[in-house]
Amino acid sequence: MATHATMPVRRRSRAPARQGHSALGWALPLTLGVILGFWAFFIRRDGGTTTGGQIWLGVVSGVAFAALCFLLGRTQRALPRELRAAAYGALAGGAVGYLHSLNGSSVLMSSVIGLAVGAGMLLSAFYLFYTREE
């Protein structure tokens, strides 16, 4: 009667899945890059007239941030949770510190703001990765 419980189950082996990029893997870094680029542009513009330098600042800032987000998204599974949380903290803190420095404040104040945001992101990401990992 209990034979079915002890019989080994045959599992089909799957071919390894192709490591393609999902739509979210492209859309999220692109959206974050566009947001940061526009934010940098509008901070530098400060209500005045638009110049080519301000546009290029926004474009280059957005492309650089989107590329960093994309690279972090591609390599995050290979990192241990502590290093992954530190990478997210460094990315968030660096972005906020950079945007704060565009506002004309001192380097020290921008660094303090960036470190505070980075530390908060590090703690939040570590908690999230620690509680969600198997």
Side-chain angles (χ1 to χ4, degrees):
M1 283 298 240
T3 306
H4 68 281
T6 59
M7 293 296 291
V9 177
R10 291 187 182 191
R11 299 191 188 268
R12 294 182 184 171
S13 64
R14 278 188 180 174
R18 196 178 128 235
Q19 293 294 328
H21 304 298
S22 67
L24 186 62
W26 286 99
L28 188 60
L30 182 65
T31 304
L32 291 175
V34 167
I35 290 170
L36 187 120
F38 274 120
W39 197 348
F41 165 72
F42 283 117
I43 287 174
R44 185 53 85 186
R45 183 171 166 236
D46 197 31
T49 60
T50 301
T51 63
Q54 296 164 350
I55 293 172
W56 278 110
L57 175 80
V59 168
V60 171
S61 300
V63 167
F65 187 70
L68 289 174
C69 287
F70 181 76
L71 289 175
L72 181 58
R74 294 291 150 237
T75 60
Q76 71 177 343
R77 295 288 179 205
L79 300 174
R81 66 176 161 242
E82 296 86 5
L83 193 55
R84 191 178 343 158
Y88 276 104
L91 187 63
V96 170
Y98 169 69
L99 290 173
H100 195 269
S101 73
L102 289 178
N103 203 14
S105 62
S106 70
V107 174
L108 181 62
M109 189 61 181
S110 299
S111 299
V112 168
I113 296 289
L115 284 173
V117 170
M121 183 66 185
L122 182 140
L123 292 174
S124 301
F126 181 75
Y127 175 76
L128 180 75
F129 297 144
Y130 187 76
T131 57
R132 304 273 194 256
E133 271 186 2
E134 294 178 10

